[in-house]
Amino acid sequence: MTLQTGTAEKSGFTGRLASYERIVVKVGSALLVDPVRGVREEWLGALADDIAELGRTGADVLVVSSGAIALGRKVLGLPRGKLKLEESQAAAATGQIALSRAWAEALGQRGLAAGQILLTLGDTEERRRYLNARATIANLLKFGAVPVVNENDTVATNEIRYGDNDRLAARVGTMVSADLVLLLSDVEGLYTAPPARDPSATMIPHVEHITPEIEAMASGAGSELSRGGMQTKIEAAKIATGAGAGLVIASGRELNPIARIDAGEPCTWFAPAGTPVAARKTWIAGTLEPRGAVTLDAGACTALRKGKSLLPAGVKRVDGSFQRGDTVAIRDEAGALLGLGLIAYDVEDARLIIGRKSHEIEDLLGYAGRSEMIHRDDMALGVAARLNDED
Ligand code: GLU
């Protein structure tokens, strides 16, 4: 990241954040927005100082900022409590303007340009749109600007939304090959039990692997302003660590939260998975919403586990309305998820060739398609990310 101005005497962080090259900073609504007074300017200014400092450390910084709905609520004078979908869309439409202005001003005062990116689920789930969004973000970083990302809540409906910026931040991190994702919210880290309910609960400083025990520690509690609770943070950690990035859950309540993390403030660090899978597999593994499913016979399941591609002959059925290149779930006959993969055929054509030998494809379809229905390079088995259809 290039700084236009900046204080010459400071030379970046030297603590725990010193070696990271690309960092996604997720900011929760409860930190940024006071329900009565609006944007917490002083807090945001101090965070912008931290971001500039990360830049001097040599890192590219991306922000994923919540707060559109919370700010819009105030602008439109909406009452507290749960909003209807159309109310939150209207709130986001007004609040996002205020949110972007606040970021542009705070970063601008520190010599940094802000670039607004509003994403919908399809922008990370469909490969063509994903590549497009990734290219825009990469260009912003090249020009030294700080991408400020949020979900495009004005057009997102319940069916097609991330819903929480924790997972969005992890997806954005995967998209740009970030090596660290910082989730700043009003919780200090992952506790062995919800601290409000269990006074003996202790914070876990380091998570090497996200085991079922770790998942069990995450309670569903969130704050009134933000959508994400501990569970969405653990989901985010699975996506980010599976893609080879570290993830930190830390409190952002005090001023300069990033400087505090650098200085060793207690929080929870999730280690990146040991062997980062290739970018393509990573992207596939992080899919939240596959377009369909293929159900395999037992022989094909065994072949896939041995690292083979999926041939039409081993497929018992296909479901959904996918097109060539879409991500589909790969299931065994009992319905258990084996993994995810990019399918080489539209659903209509896939239906015609399942159960058949690859050399029959040309006769069946009238063109010579790929002999694999899902190539092994286009497949991520043992995916950790929870899928929306399993909620
Ligand atoms: N996108 C939402 C907003 O900006 C926030 C989602 C969340 O709280 O995680 O208001």
Side-chain angles (χ1 to χ4, degrees):
M1 189 163 75
T2 340
L3 286 171
Q4 311 304 317
T5 61
T7 40
E9 73 274 13
K10 288 195 169 180
S11 59
F13 292 123
T14 52
R16 294 200 289 187
L17 298 176
S19 64
Y20 290 95
E21 287 173 7
R22 189 164 276 186
I23 303 180
V24 176
V25 180
K26 183 260 172 175
V27 177
S29 303
L31 300 175
L32 193 60
V33 180
D34 178 288
V36 180
R37 288 201 294 273
V39 174
R40 292 194 167 95
E41 303 285 353
E42 189 196 1
W43 183 86
L44 179 58
L47 185 72
D49 281 338
D50 280 357
I51 290 170
E53 192 72 351
L54 274 180
R56 282 185 281 273
T57 313
D60 289 332
V61 185
L62 297 93
V63 171
V64 173
S65 178
S66 304
I69 296 174
L71 275 174
R73 229 179 224 278
K74 179 183 168 286
V75 177
L76 297 178
L78 299 175
R80 299 187 84 153
K82 201 170 155 41
L83 297 178
K84 294 198 201 93
L85 175 64
E86 61 271 23
E87 290 171 331
S88 57
Q89 287 171 326
T94 50
Q96 184 62 41
I97 294 180
L99 186 64
S100 297
R101 189 175 53 223
W103 276 107
E105 281 173 7
L107 292 171
Q109 283 159 10
R110 285 140 188 103
L112 293 169
Q116 176 182 261
I117 304 270
L118 297 179
L119 295 176
T120 45
L121 193 62
D123 294 317
T124 58
E125 306 305 289
E126 285 170 38
R127 188 153 179 90
R128 191 176 48 79
R129 284 167 64 185
Y130 162 86
L131 292 173
N132 185 37
R134 187 174 70 167
T136 307
I137 294 175
N139 278 318
L140 279 172
L141 293 172
K142 197 173 84 192
F143 291 128
V146 178
V148 179
V149 185
N150 197 1
E151 178 158 20
N152 193 352
D153 292 305
T154 58
V155 293
T157 61
N158 291 334
E159 295 76 43
I160 50 147
R161 72 183 322 146
Y162 302 94
D164 64 88
N165 277 1
D166 296 325
R167 290 186 303 167
L168 175 62
R171 283 300 262 159
V172 168
T174 310
M175 195 184 230
V176 300
S177 307
D179 47 8
L180 189 66
V181 178
L182 301 177
L183 299 182
L184 302 178
S185 72
D186 50 6
V187 297
E188 290 90 40
L190 175 67
Y191 281 82
T192 49
R197 271 180 257 155
D198 182 351
S200 69
T202 52
M203 199 208 285
I204 301 170
H206 189 87
V207 177
E208 192 61 39
H209 301 291
I210 302 171
T211 58
E213 291 72 35
I214 293 291
E215 293 193 53
M217 290 170 191
S219 81
S223 83
E224 198 199 329
L225 282 174
S226 70
R227 295 215 183 90
M230 190 50 81
Q231 270 160 359
T232 67
K233 290 178 177 46
I234 299 291
E235 295 304 329
K238 285 194 211 168
I239 295 170
T241 58
L247 182 136
V248 176
I249 298 176
S251 168
R253 283 218 205 98
E254 307 289 331
L255 295 184
N256 300 105
I258 301 176
R260 287 167 185 276
I261 295 170
D262 184 64
E265 172 120 320
C267 53
T268 301
W269 287 70
F270 291 81
T275 48
V277 280
R280 190 174 180 80
K281 294 205 177 218
T282 297
W283 174 76
I284 296 167
T287 304
L288 299 175
E289 240 176 38
R291 298 279 147 152
V294 290
T295 303
L296 276 49
D297 64 22
C301 292
T302 310
L304 256 58
R305 290 205 180 92
K306 286 186 183 153
K308 298 276 194 319
S309 295
L310 176 62
L311 303 178
V315 181
K316 304 279 282 191
R317 53 181 278 195
V318 294
D319 296 284
S321 58
F322 50 83
Q323 292 180 326
R324 182 172 177 225
D326 282 343
T327 307
V328 297
I330 305 170
R331 299 189 184 280
D332 68 13
E333 279 188 86
L337 185 72
L338 263 77
L340 295 165
L342 302 183
I343 195 147
Y345 290 93
D346 293 351
V347 64
E348 297 82 14
D349 288 355
R351 275 213 176 98
L352 292 174
I353 60 173
I354 59 173
R356 310 293 285 261
K357 299 277 181 220
S358 295
H359 66 78
E360 296 177 273
I361 293 175
E362 187 161 3
D363 279 348
L364 289 164
L365 300 182
Y367 63 89
R370 271 181 104 153
S371 50
E372 306 88 10
M373 189 161 261
I374 301 177
H375 192 274
R376 60 198 176 111
D377 292 346
D378 292 341
M379 207 182 279
L381 297 185
V383 280
R386 185 185 63 173
L387 302 176
N388 279 352
D389 69 355
E390 293 183 339
D391 277 359

